[in-house]
């Protein structure tokens, strides 16, 4: 048996290749939309991918299952649990098989067993993995059911898509799924769909996997005997999910376009063409690092640097319904396009070399970075206004006295609420998110902007006053 | 807590980065000699590496522990168990700490516990991993003690270095270590030092990790109640370990040179310089793929293509005590050098672009590939002789009637035993190892060579006769 | 003034960027279809390309003039000389200007003068270049009129496209153009449209440029006082022009598609899809080096290695009217696609990684390379037949006794003439062209093939008999 | 015959490969220190380099002639003209040949003729090029004697090395060399050692070559009948030559180290090691673009971005006698090292990834960019002082009222003259040179710095006052 983990840093998403070397067969659990890496790995191990299994209808990225079915002729294995709202559509033309609790999928001599574990969503499945020649499973692919130290949220659809009351019901199902699941042997490995937290650092994605026995001891979700208390703790204080989640859910239910049938964006060399597009309302995204963008960029463009947070902020800030142009460094072009497509942004129609655009265009502008120290006096005496773009939760914990608050993700929709009477100092935790915010503001015509380098973190060190808790 | 797996395909060797994000500290378990990847990963997660832990004195690759101590000022944590033959030497000038059973190493809020688990070697340690805020370990780094489906060999030094009687004694210690180890909780993750087997495919490296509970059920090593029976099964039928293992053990005990203090090989552009070196007995290794090498290569050079088996065959075939020149494609240069250094081959003094060498040199030769079908008549009527270069075990299972046998790894030492009265057809399982053998033979002056494409595998399909079992 | 030479090794084609730094304007003379390199160079020098000049309707590559007009808004400057058969079509929607003898084009302070120099084609122009602040030209862009050591052929269309009688008429015009041209100052630099020959090596492309005074002394075309003698020498013994020239001429007259509007080929991962395409008559081109192709390739594919001769042989061997799939190494993909498009092969609909294809497909085959020495006995005793694929001229000078002859370029059309009763040894001058021929033969079902390594050159050294002059 | 131009953008230096395909021989005229590109080109054309010709002892880059002699066994052809001060030293152990006026060097069938053309330096040679089978030369390699539109300076050594009176004498020799040279045929191509000017743009390097006839008409150097007038015009108003020229001259006379015998710089991963080095007086050069450097850099480092001006500023600002550490992006590492070595900076002992250094070090600082508009009031009211780092000539033509002036190249030596009582706004023509200056100032402890973005050029547009002529 072969088991290989894949992890997409941009999406914090895990997927798994399972193969049987004796027969040359392989399947992928929860494939991402770019399927080349799985194919490459399979090839290198003498395997052919003939199946794609989905734990549930994903809300946070475009699944690659249909891509595998279309291009490789792989069988698409999807859930037949949950009610009618939670059925996959438009799969009749593809090789596929619907899965119910208790079913089995054979991958050569390897056996994958199906468990119905609703809670995160009603149709959610987990998959046990059993090598040939034994009756004992080695582990379980839990999708967004059980994570290391946590479980999946039952309320995403409530918040992102306005489907009301699903959170409470999902919470109850989650409790029952956990009870049932806890009866499995403790030595089972747990292979989750996302990275998860840690008692030490609280940062996500830090430990790739766990075991059921360890989770039963350490994961808070197994500490409640009472269902209602569990549901309360589960649904309290969850931050706003990205708006694009609702879009993703629809896309994954009914099927995104096959990537290789998408048109590649056309190259632009003439800055006039770019400027015209901006005048006509096209969104233009510059993916250079923020230092270079700050120093010089084409008026009307906004900036999300290509790094681990790129897909997240693109999901928040890009309008899925309008054409998108991208300005990139050549070396990043493929990664940017792949990251956008991984969350279903398929409307990238043109691109231009970012340096060329900035050098040749006559319409450029810039913004300055200031340290907390440099900005404190103009903030104190009211010359400038602070705009805090961190999350609601961060802002409430503590913020600079007098700072206005709009969450970065919601900035495009709340442009009208931005204080416009004075120069703005945009601020987040470290200066990274506020650099994005500064670019969004400028692209929306609010030009007298400074970005606070170091953000609230450095403010506390350098200034240590003017803070409201 | 952060836990990150590293896997070197060339060495089938696993290492692990463990860090605490709250304090920014990190350590590496069993680092390979090229330490840049660990540093990069640590940097990207805001961590600084301040420790390197070794489970035991490795025999199959050069450890990067001393490299970390020298370059990063990291503390080198090594075993203080085992008798005097198994102590690390020349570490006094480095920051270091000796470890005994029951000791603990703190990595920020994370705790690493020390278990003495002799068997593979007398000083072997395992390390438990415990996150901050809990008394329960999450898993164990087992080094070459417990693998997925197997344990480490106790007999390497017997065979590779001629130290007699260690196998039996190591086997007994292994049995005891397993007994003790089996009392730990079954949910513990097992993070081994090497990839390991599978009930399905028997291929190595197929499942990255396991749990103690699963191993107790499925691993043969837990199935014996009697120590002697266990030792017998453990030591029977083990293949010959690579000769370079003995060298590695010495190097790791007393310390290899720091990589960044090695001189980089000098570039050669003049083929005359290459030819002179060959005349003076320098070994010259061409790392192109075998198809290109077969078609044209410089006389006196031998060929190991740069792929997953490169380090293994280089360890067998390169003489550690003589200067080595390498002929590479530019794109492979760094990988070749790194792979050689990973097993302590530090005497690469010159290199030349392989295509340039072949194009400009007047002294070139080639060999032909033939299919089993094409070669069967000349073999049957005695015009040509078959040389089988597979392992002793493979040869004994079945081979072509009348084939001579010399194991590829031992070919340089047994050149005098090569049948020299007739043209040779060199053969292995698939044609890959025999291509290397063909090059070694030619470099040693045996020029009338054909390589059997497809090897014994294809022979069975195409010819299906003349086989002795 | 800025003058920058560009040279496309694949097409042996020269183009030139001319700019005025004082005003930031630039034009390109005879741009190739891939215009990014010109844009990049212009950008780096602070210039904007606002014009593209064509010396004539090219027959050997797709011009990038229209691409520049469409994408950059550059003015397309083309000849208005010659009769109605030689006018550019479909340019009304583009910014353009028709040029006649004596016209001038201003590039900032730089002046480009227009000379009508028919002969190669009736509408051919040459362009003088004059810096600001002087009345003296610095040199002349001569297109395919005057080369270093030669002139352009007046007979291409006769041979390639069946337009009869144009050669003689073109020769006469050429003579007159030369007379007129020879009156210009001898110090003028000559910047030709193609590389040209040399008294030393006769190889093409060896000296990038010349001067009029030097050419008048050394170029044979200035040595004839009599027009008819000149025309006779000019038109005698010219080799067959590639068949694709006729196609190119049409394309350049009426306009190729804009590259950025072409669909990129779709990636294939499933070898079944490839095999089906082959069964359905799609042409599949493998661009790996011939050593690797010989050793293993998918049945039904043919091989042109990606190197300096690639575009030439692709022009001869690819059918412009059928879909083309390509099998490439990833690193070569862009270069292969660009080279195919540079000669108007736009029907590349799919691609697959070559190694993946060969590894995964069940339908593979190979051919062997043999040295002249190894093949001489089977040729002499009639066991095998030699097929010489060199040019008519090379074959007639001397060839292996009894060898059949079909020119490589014409092989697809003359498959029926290939001797089919015996194994074939395919041979050219060095083994390079015959490797391509071997692949074409196998793709057409003639499978018992050997390629003569070293070709006729090595045959003469090793065997030195059986040669007919 | 093959003739191939090489042009090093960093040094604005031209070199030439000349070969004879019939015999496979080749030589290089004025090779740069990195000789791999010549070898590669020769290989691709089936040529072997067996000679290196030098027109004179270069002062602006390290010659690759000795490198070719040592590594390729090529014959080093150098001038035997000029007096004893101008003889090459330490060449007895190399294959070499001394050249005098009238000598010939054979490259297969190609003939290179030697002309003594003193003026730039006393031993300067020019080389005529004659193809096989003709008595007429095709052109002349003129080194630093005749450029397109100019001649070489006779005063470099006066100014750079303090050798007095050489300028006047060199000017007289130059006049005589020109007189003699002007008698050669006008159609000869002129292949100079450096790029040269243009009536249009005045920018250097704009037209790669010329002809003697054209130069006689257009180049000012042929317009003087009177020697003294010529010398006066030639030596008047020449800017200061870089200080490193004197060093280069010595190096080229006595021989630089062979590049492949240099130690490669050692990698640093620990920021402490970097900080210690800075404390111990090591110079540390950061080669990132200035926007990123400005935003964040390690205290004590200075910044020269890797682009076309890199070698020039490194020559001015790096101290040849102290160890140098470099901080680079990985992708630029080789280019940086090669550029430094091209001008003889061989003391690069360590390097570190620039991003890693900035991220991990605790000692970082930054500086701000300000537009002229933003800085005008603080300049006007005396809050800040302007430091103009342009050349003496630029400053004298016009500058901001009240600005102090120190030429960037001389800044390290004149740190004590920098006005220290107020914040500084550093300014050049466009903001590029002043960014380097800002970094040098900070590295020398002057920290209250702003860089004027857009420099004097933008100042004139935005502010248009406070200018002194």
């Amino acid at each position: 048996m072969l088991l290989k983990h894949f992890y997409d840093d941009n999406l914090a998403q895990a997927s798994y290749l399972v193969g049987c070397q004796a027969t040359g067969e392989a399947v992928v659990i929860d494939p991402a939309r770019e399927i080349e890496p799985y194919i490459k790995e399979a090839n290198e191990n003498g395997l052919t991918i003939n199946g794609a299994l989905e734990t549930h209808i994903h809300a946070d990225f475009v699944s690659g299952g249909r891509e595998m079915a279309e291009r490789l002729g792989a069988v698409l294995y999807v859930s037949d649990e949950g009610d009618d709202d939670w059925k996959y559509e438009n799969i009749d033309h593809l090789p596929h098989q619907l899965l119910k609790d208790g079913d089995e999928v054979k991958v050569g001599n390897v056996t994958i067993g199906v468990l119905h574990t609703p809670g995160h969503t009603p149709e959610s499945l987990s998959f046990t993995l059993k090598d040939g020649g034994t009756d004992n499973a080695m582990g379980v692919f839990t999708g967004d059911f059980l994570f290391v130290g946590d479980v999946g949220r039952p309320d995403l659809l409530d918040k992102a898509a306005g489907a009301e009351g699903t959170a409470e019901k999902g919470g109850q199902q989650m409790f029952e799924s956990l009870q049932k699941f806890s009866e499995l042997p403790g030595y089972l490995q747990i292979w989750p769909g996302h990275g998860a937290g840690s008692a030490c650092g609280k940062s996500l994605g830090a430990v790739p996997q766990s075991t059921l026995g360890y989770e039963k001891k350490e994961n808070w979700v197994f500490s409640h005997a009472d269902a209602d208390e569990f549901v309360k703790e589960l649904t309290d204080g969850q931050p706003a999910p990205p708006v694009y989640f609702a879009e993703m859910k629809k896309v994954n239910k009914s099927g995104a376009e096959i990537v290789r049938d998408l048109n590649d964006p056309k190259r632009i060399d003439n800055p006039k063409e770019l400027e015209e597009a901006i005048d006509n309302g096209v969104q233009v995204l510059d993916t250079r690092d923020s230092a270079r963008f700050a120093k010089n960029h084409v008026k009307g463009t906004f900036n999300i640097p290509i790094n681990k947070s790129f897909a997240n902020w693109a999901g928040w800030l890009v309008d899925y319904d309008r054409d998108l142009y991208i300005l990139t460094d050549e070396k990043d072009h493929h990664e940017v396009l792949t990251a956008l497509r991984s969350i279903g942004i398929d409307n990238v129609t043109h691109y231009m070399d970012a340096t060329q655009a900035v050098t040749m265009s006559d319409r450029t502008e810039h913004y300055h970075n200031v340290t907390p120290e440099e900005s404190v006096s103009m903030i104190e005496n009211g010359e400038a206004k602070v705009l805090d773009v961190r999350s609601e939760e961060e802002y409430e914990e503590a913020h600079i006295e007098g700072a206005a608050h709009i969450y970065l993700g919601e900035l495009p929709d709340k442009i009208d609420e931005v204080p416009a009477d004075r120069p703005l100092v945009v601020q987040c935790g470290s200066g990274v998110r506020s650099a994005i915010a500064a670019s969004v503001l400028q692209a929306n015509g609010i030009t007298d902007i400074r970005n606070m380098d170091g953000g609230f973190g450095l403010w506390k060190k350098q200034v240590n006053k003017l803070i409201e808790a």
Side-chain angles (χ1 to χ4, degrees), chain A residues 270-291:
Chain A
N270 191 340
K272 296 283 164 265
E273 202 172 330
L274 179 70
E275 292 162 6
E276 250 171 58
I278 293 171
D279 291 344
N280 292 331
V282 162
Q283 12 177 24
V284 181
L285 170 59
D286 186 323
T287 66
R288 292 176 300 156
D289 64 84
S290 290

Side-chain angles (χ1 to χ4, degrees), chain A residues 316-330:
Chain A
W316 276 106
L317 299 173
V318 170
D319 180 347
Y320 276 67
D321 296 326
R322 285 154 60 209
D323 280 357
L324 176 69
Y325 286 30
I326 54 176
L327 306 181
T328 62
D329 289 335
E330 195 182 325

Side-chain angles (χ1 to χ4, degrees), chain A residues 379 384-388 400 402-405 419 423-427 452:
Chain A
I379 292 170
K385 178 84 182 170
V386 177
L387 177 66
D388 187 326
I400 298 173
H405 177 258
L424 271 188
V425 177
V426 196
Q427 161 259 320
M452 189 186 289

Side-chain angles (χ1 to χ4, degrees), chain A residues 141-331:
Chain A
F141 302 99
T142 53
D144 288 6
F145 163 46
L146 183 61
F147 297 139
V148 181
D150 211 337
V151 287
R153 297 171 56 173
D155 64 333
L156 281 182
L157 273 291
D158 260 37
K159 293 201 173 136
E164 273 181 49
T166 60
E168 165 66 25
K169 192 173 156 204
Q172 292 288 346
Q173 289 181 325
M174 181 66 82
F175 186 79
E176 285 159 38
S177 293
L178 287 169
Q179 297 315 107
K180 192 172 75 173
F181 199 73
S182 70
E183 286 158 27
L184 297 175
Y187 63 72
L188 287 175
Q189 296 185 53
I190 299 298
W191 299 301
H194 291 285
S198 144
C200 162
K202 282 185 212 144
S203 92
L204 285 172
V207 175
Q209 68 167 84
S210 187
T211 62
L212 180 52
Y214 186 80
E215 291 304 304
K216 280 163 71 176
K217 282 191 176 293
E218 299 293 338
N219 193 335
W220 73 268
V221 304
F222 287 107
S223 65
H224 286 280
D226 181 77
D228 292 340
E229 277 171 29
F230 168 78
V231 174
K232 189 170 176 339
E233 182 167 349
L234 179 60
T235 52
D236 267 14
Q238 293 273 26
V243 284
Y244 75 91
F245 275 26
E247 177 76 17
M248 282 304 86
K249 184 65 90 182
K250 272 186 284 174
V251 160
N252 279 323
K253 202 169 158 182
S254 61
E257 253 194 282
I258 298 307
V259 170
R260 68 167 201 184
D261 292 339
L262 295 174
N263 285 322
D264 276 322
K266 298 194 184 310
R267 182 185 164 108
I268 299 180
D269 292 299
N270 191 340
K272 296 283 164 265
E273 202 172 330
L274 179 70
E275 292 162 6
E276 250 171 58
I278 293 171
D279 291 344
N280 292 331
V282 162
Q283 12 177 24
V284 181
L285 170 59
D286 186 323
T287 66
R288 292 176 300 156
D289 64 84
S290 290
R292 283 162 66 208
F293 182 88
K295 194 161 154 46
N296 206 11
H297 56 265
V298 178
K299 224 175 268 191
T301 64
F302 68 109
N303 173 230
I304 309 177
I306 178 70
N307 59 31
K308 288 192 187 178
S309 305
F310 177 80
N312 177 54
W313 294 121
W316 276 106
L317 299 173
V318 170
D319 180 347
Y320 276 67
D321 296 326
R322 285 154 60 209
D323 280 357
L324 176 69
Y325 286 30
I326 54 176
L327 306 181
T328 62
D329 289 335
E330 195 182 325
K331 68 176 174 50

Side-chain angles (χ1 to χ4, degrees), chain A residues 79-119:
Chain A
S79 178
D80 197 26
E81 300 284 353
D83 62 32
D84 284 357
D85 278 0
W86 296 90
K87 299 292 184 195
Y88 287 80
E89 297 165 358
N90 303 324
I91 55 170
D92 288 344
H93 63 296
L94 298 172
H96 72 281
Q97 189 175 322
L98 300 180
L99 298 177
K100 281 194 173 297
D101 188 272
D103 286 350
E104 283 188 353
V105 175
K106 284 295 218 179
V107 186
N109 304 333
V110 172
T111 306
I112 291 178
V114 178
L115 301 175
H116 183 211
T117 48

